[in-house]
Amino acid sequence: MYGLVDGNNFYVSCERVFQPRLEGRPVVVLSNNDGNVVSRSAEAKQLGIPMGAPFFEVRDLLRRHQGHVLSSNYPLYGDMSRRVMARLADHVPGVEVYSIDEAFLDLHGLTTFCGTLDARAHRIRQDVLACTGIPTCVGLGPIKTLAKVANRLAKKYPELQGILRLDTEARRERALRALPAADVWGIGRQYAAKLQAQGLTTAWQLAGISEAWARQHLGGVVGWRLVQELRGQPCQGLHPSEDGTLARQSISCSRSFGQRLTAFDDLWGAVSTYLSRAAEKLRAQHDQAHILTVFISQDRYDTRLPPPYTRSATLTLPAGPTADTLQLLTYARHLLAKLHEPGRRYVKAGVVLDGLEPPGRGQQLSLFAPAASAVPTLAHNARAQQLMVSLDALNRQFGRGTVRPAASVPPPAAAGQPAPWLGRAEHRSPAYTTRLEDLLVVG
């Protein structure tokens, strides 16, 4: 059996741990740049506020009902997630961290020594709530997709007390008939529209489609595996790693700006900031990247602008894979120079690192390098690697961004002012658990 543990309204719950006055009130957390609603309390959902709603559309509604608005506080949410996952790891032999607020649990064999799975799930919920303050729901099933289905329904129906187990054919059928097809794990907006057009509205109907139709309309073999799992046939297992996380197959970092940017130097400051963060994540999972992509975007809602609104450039690194921030920045600047058009007003930028692999598999040198100096030597690589180790150690000890590339530092003319590419966060709460100055003081 597998379990799927999901934090209820996770971002809102993290905020309520440190602000109990928010209990019982409509609360929403906004996306980067205070644009859209990305987390809602139960009270906000009851007001009819949909996920992804633009903040300006729901501002007055929240004000009328004494609601509360918060900007995203990702350092806080990430640290609270780490604490939740650590508690889960104390209860089961294996954990697959699926997202910041979700984890699959390996429950095989536990009933022999630990009583019923329902009792174990209740203990897990109680322990996580007591130790972290985060309420959760637990779905139990013989297959990961069915555990996900059970979790969905456990959150939807309060009478289930946060736990649902699908361990019989009768329970599986009843659950699939109750779950809309659009809510099935892996069914996005486009697939949901295709299913709706075919009259397939429930997960039970989805489980009955043919292999040919699934392969043609639901992404090939991936869609067919999803259908098989809904039928009770396992197609995937747990994927835990030594540190409880899964290595990413690609790493991206992008943000919307707090203001429209036109100057190349401002765009370069944003790209260098995002690339530094992506490279840090790359080194944290002990990988290197073969491929670098840079993109910049204009406002797609500005009817005066012709498409395309987003332009991107991709480069297969000529000197082989690397996790060296400085080397990646050199390539990124050339890519950005190709994309930037003077006079254009940009609202977003980002980077993507692909083709990830561990170091030590042999470096692929360029046969057509313009000069020997263009290809890093082994001695240079060793020095660069040591520099990155020192960079990461300093930032871990003194805080992220303590040591960073000069390009990501605002110009002297903006001394004391936030970087022009930083998004708006007018309602952000303190970083209660990750910043010494923000620790709560009890008087």
Side-chain angles (χ1 to χ4, degrees):
M1 292 287 285
Y2 295 101
L4 190 279
V5 180
D6 183 14
N8 298 342
N9 312 319
F10 185 68
Y11 292 175
V12 170
S13 295
C14 289
E15 300 286 356
R16 282 177 165 174
V17 170
F18 301 95
Q19 302 183 68
R21 62 188 177 84
L22 300 180
E23 291 287 348
R25 297 176 57 185
V27 180
V28 299
V29 175
L30 303 178
S31 63
N32 176 60
N33 213 28
D34 288 351
N36 302 81
V37 174
V38 295
S39 184
R40 305 160 294 162
S41 68
E43 297 79 7
K45 294 175 183 178
Q46 290 173 2
L47 293 179
I49 297 176
M51 179 68 80
F55 175 46
F56 72 87
E57 291 184 358
V58 300
R59 182 190 291 112
D60 292 340
L61 178 63
L62 286 166
R63 186 181 297 116
R64 289 197 303 271
H65 290 84
Q66 290 77 51
H68 197 82
V69 179
L70 291 159
S71 301
S72 295
N73 189 340
Y74 295 116
L76 173 64
Y77 309 151
D79 186 63
M80 293 299 290
S81 173
R82 179 187 60 79
R83 297 177 186 220
V84 170
M85 302 309 169
R87 296 311 308 159
L88 297 178
D90 282 346
H91 289 272
V92 295
V95 177
E96 176 187 330
V97 179
Y98 180 67
S99 67
I100 193 171
D101 63 341
E102 292 180 278
F104 286 101
L105 309 182
D106 182 1
L107 302 174
H108 292 80
L110 290 185
T111 54
T112 304
F113 307 101
C114 305
T116 66
L117 289 180
D118 286 1
R120 167 61 54 140
H122 278 295
R123 286 198 294 273
I124 290 174
R125 292 187 72 229
Q126 292 166 0
D127 181 60
V128 170
L129 182 62
C131 294
T132 69
I134 302 298
T136 59
C137 286
V138 182
L140 304 171
I143 296 171
K144 289 171 70 176
T145 298
L146 292 180
K148 187 82 170 178
V149 169
N151 181 273
R152 284 269 192 175
L153 295 175
K155 294 176 67 175
K156 186 175 182 179
Y157 297 103
E159 60 269 24
L160 295 173
Q161 298 183 327
I163 294 174
L164 178 61
R165 173 170 41 90
L166 302 182
D167 57 349
T168 66
E169 281 300 305
R171 291 188 177 204
R172 180 181 70 87
E173 179 177 345
R174 184 178 179 185
L176 295 185
R177 288 186 183 277
L179 186 72
D183 289 345
V184 172
W185 183 31
I187 299 297
R189 184 178 302 174
Q190 292 184 346
Y191 288 157
K194 289 182 179 180
L195 295 175
Q196 180 71 32
Q198 294 294 317
L200 304 173
T201 59
T202 68
W204 178 253
Q205 292 173 316
L206 175 59
I209 65 174
S210 68
E211 177 180 355
W213 199 92
R215 287 178 177 271
Q216 181 178 355
H217 299 285
L218 297 180
V221 67
V222 175
W224 174 234
R225 286 174 180 168
L226 170 61
V227 173
Q228 287 180 298
E229 291 224 333
L230 289 175
R231 294 176 177 178
Q233 303 170 21
C235 296
Q236 57 180 324
L238 203 71
H239 302 291
S241 61
E242 293 180 0
D243 62 354
T245 61
L246 285 174
R248 301 173 178 88
Q249 300 303 307
S250 66
I251 294 176
S252 63
C253 186
S254 63
R255 295 286 187 275
S256 298
F257 309 140
Q259 56 184 295
R260 287 170 172 76
L261 303 181
T262 57
F264 177 85
D265 287 345
D266 288 340
L267 286 170
W268 173 232
V271 170
S272 62
T273 299
Y274 307 153
L275 184 54
S276 298
R277 177 63 182 136
E280 182 181 6
K281 293 180 180 180
L282 182 66
R283 293 191 295 272
Q285 69 177 44
H286 308 293
D287 275 338
Q288 296 179 327
H290 275 279
I291 302 170
L292 169 64
T293 299
V294 174
F295 68 86
I296 52 178
S297 301
Q298 300 178 91
D299 186 355
R300 66 175 57 253
Y301 300 106
D302 189 339
T303 57
R304 297 168 298 179
L305 298 176
Y309 301 104
T310 297
R311 298 185 61 208
S312 64
T314 299
L315 174 69
T316 300
L317 305 185
T322 185
D324 181 353
T325 298
L326 301 182
Q327 189 174 346
L328 290 168
L329 286 173
T330 300
Y331 297 129
R333 187 177 179 90
H334 289 297
L335 294 179
L336 181 62
K338 294 180 179 179
L339 299 174
H340 176 248
E341 297 182 31
R344 297 273 187 178
R345 304 175 70 192
Y346 298 97
V347 298
K348 184 177 181 179
V351 300
V352 183
L353 298 174
D354 282 308
L356 309 188
E357 67 174 36
R361 293 189 178 179
Q363 186 180 32
Q364 179 65 49
L365 302 180
S366 173
L367 179 63
F368 303 104
S373 60
V375 179
T377 64
L378 293 179
H380 171 84
N381 286 339
R383 290 194 300 270
Q385 183 178 3
Q386 184 56 50
L387 177 61
M388 294 299 106
V389 170
S390 300
L391 173 68
D392 293 338
L394 288 169
N395 286 330
R396 280 195 303 269
Q397 181 174 356
F398 298 104
R400 182 178 298 161
T402 300
V403 182
R404 50 184 168 161
S408 62
V409 179
Q417 301 294 323
W421 55 85
L422 289 180
R424 293 186 299 273
E426 299 174 359
H427 313 281
R428 181 173 295 162
S429 57
Y432 298 105
T433 65
T434 57
R435 189 169 183 264
L436 187 61
E437 294 85 347
D438 290 344
L439 287 179
L440 286 174
V441 177
V442 179

